[in-house]
Amino acid sequence: MKIAIASGKGGTGKTTVATCLAQVLAETGLRVRYLDCDVEEPNGHLFLHPEIYESKPVTVPVPEVDREKCVGCGLCAKICQYAAIACVKKKVVTFPELCHGCGGCARVCPAGAIREVGRGIGVAETGRSCKIDFAQGCLRVGEAMSPSLIRQVRDIPTGAELDIIDAPPGTSCPAITAIRGADFVLLVTEPTPFGLNDLALALDMVRELDIPRAVVVNRHEDENLSARKFCSERHVQIAAEIPDDRRVAEAYSQGLLPVIALPEYRPYFLDLWANVNKLATGTPGKEPA
Ligand code: SF4
Ligand code: SF4
């Protein structure tokens, strides 16, 4: 089973939920793997403290033009949807940072002047944190092609029974790449107007992907029922409400897993897992079009 932990915006506590869930489930004997696909800012390692066994460079194929063979026809520039290759006055210029590695330019080149070479975009790392298998992607600073790296992290073979995917925040390509193909998505939100606004966008994204889903309300306050009202109106289940507790923030700031620093929080995550199992096998609820 693959569960993606996502959020419409950063700072909702997505990594806290993902790492705590991995920890409590691994303690039950389940073979769990935590995958940090928030490759622009992977921080699950700060809490799980894994020992990294392997670090593999990840590349994307980009075109290299043989100027001797090029006849200046411009077909490569014409087919490129990302303006990553241009032909000016019969001279070809490439912009590797914009290239999505689709291979289209090499295919249309009538002179066989284009070959693909690998461009490094980051590393995919694997390791182990006590009972948890660990994988993460680290994107090079300034690099924009995070989906390629996310795909490679997700494709790392595993013997785990459960993959917990820590997805990038937001609703753009990186988030979709991390979530696509998951069996269930947990959307972590905070009960603020900003949080709920971005939750609405994230819900739309997951609904488009047609993946069963539920919400985790982080920093829940008994007197603030805005998230419950929102989820009831959108016909989406709340799988857990994690209380607003300064001690959780203190543990987080010290690089400690809240479920280890504050064992009274373990039942929240065990209940969350029970709810996910219930919802994953049932109907996620009909949302308005
Ligand atoms: S590989 Fe695709 S994206 Fe890259 S330059 Fe060629 S056509 Fe453009
Ligand atoms: S398609 Fe090939 S031959 Fe034509 S401009 Fe591009 S590199 Fe040159």
Side-chain angles (χ1 to χ4, degrees):
M1 187 176 186
K2 292 180 196 301
I3 298 182
I5 316 287
S7 63
K9 74 178 193 67
T12 58
K14 175 176 59 65
T15 295
T16 306
V17 171
T19 50
C20 285
L21 190 60
Q23 177 69 28
V24 295
L25 295 183
E27 284 172 9
T28 67
L30 199 66
R31 183 100 192 260
V32 180
R33 180 170 67 157
Y34 167 86
L35 295 105
D36 201 339
C37 288
D38 191 358
V39 298
E40 285 183 41
E41 206 177 356
N43 58 1
H45 68 97
L46 297 174
F47 308 100
L48 294 176
H49 308 287
E51 189 180 338
I52 299 295
Y53 299 146
E54 196 174 14
S55 183
K56 276 193 177 162
V58 173
T59 60
V60 288
V62 296
E64 188 179 76
V65 179
D66 182 338
R67 295 187 202 289
E68 297 291 312
K69 289 186 182 168
C70 175
V71 294
C73 66
L75 283 176
C76 51
K78 211 165 165 192
I79 198 179
C80 184
Q81 300 296 298
Y82 304 101
I85 187 162
C87 186
V88 184
K89 292 185 182 167
K90 299 203 166 208
K91 288 217 164 53
V92 176
V93 195
T94 59
F95 303 95
E97 308 74 33
L98 301 179
C99 174
H100 282 57
C102 71
C105 52
R107 245 163 256 151
V108 298
C109 177
I114 299 178
R115 71 176 187 119
E116 289 177 335
V117 294
R119 184 175 73 81
I121 57 167
V123 291
E125 298 183 321
T126 48
R128 192 150 171 86
S129 163
C130 209
K131 295 176 175 161
I132 304 168
D133 286 339
F134 181 91
Q136 69 175 1
C138 304
L139 194 68
R140 249 177 33 189
V141 175
E143 181 56 58
M145 292 301 143
S146 60
S148 302
L149 177 52
I150 292 168
R151 269 190 290 273
Q152 299 228 18
V153 173
R154 282 198 46 160
D155 288 348
I156 295 171
T158 178
E161 296 163 284
L162 173 68
D163 269 352
I164 296 179
I165 300 164
D166 194 344
T171 55
S172 58
C173 288
I176 292 169
T177 306
I179 289 168
R180 197 189 290 279
D183 300 298
F184 199 88
V185 177
L186 282 172
L187 290 164
V188 183
T189 189
E190 52 186 16
T192 62
F194 279 136
L196 298 179
N197 177 68
D198 291 340
L199 173 61
L201 300 173
L203 266 174
D204 288 345
M205 170 185 69
V206 180
R207 188 174 57 178
E208 280 295 315
L209 293 169
D210 198 21
I211 304 173
R213 54 215 164 252
V215 169
V216 173
V217 182
N218 195 21
R219 301 184 198 109
H220 167 76
E221 295 168 315
D222 287 340
E223 64 275 17
N224 181 356
L225 300 179
S226 57
R228 282 189 196 172
K229 184 168 177 286
F230 173 94
C231 291
S232 159
E233 285 169 0
R234 295 291 303 255
H235 301 281
V236 62
Q237 302 285 327
I238 294 178
E241 290 176 328
I242 316 285
D244 189 23
D245 185 339
R246 188 186 164 89
R247 294 174 307 156
V248 171
E250 283 170 358
Y252 188 87
S253 68
Q254 291 163 24
L256 297 171
L257 271 182
V259 286
I260 289 179
L262 305 161
E264 63 267 36
Y265 272 86
R266 287 173 195 221
Y268 285 96
F269 292 91
L270 290 170
D271 286 351
L272 169 58
W273 175 237
N275 285 335
V276 167
N277 272 303
K278 224 184 295 163
L279 293 165
T281 49
T283 326
K286 227 166 161 267
E287 291 173 35

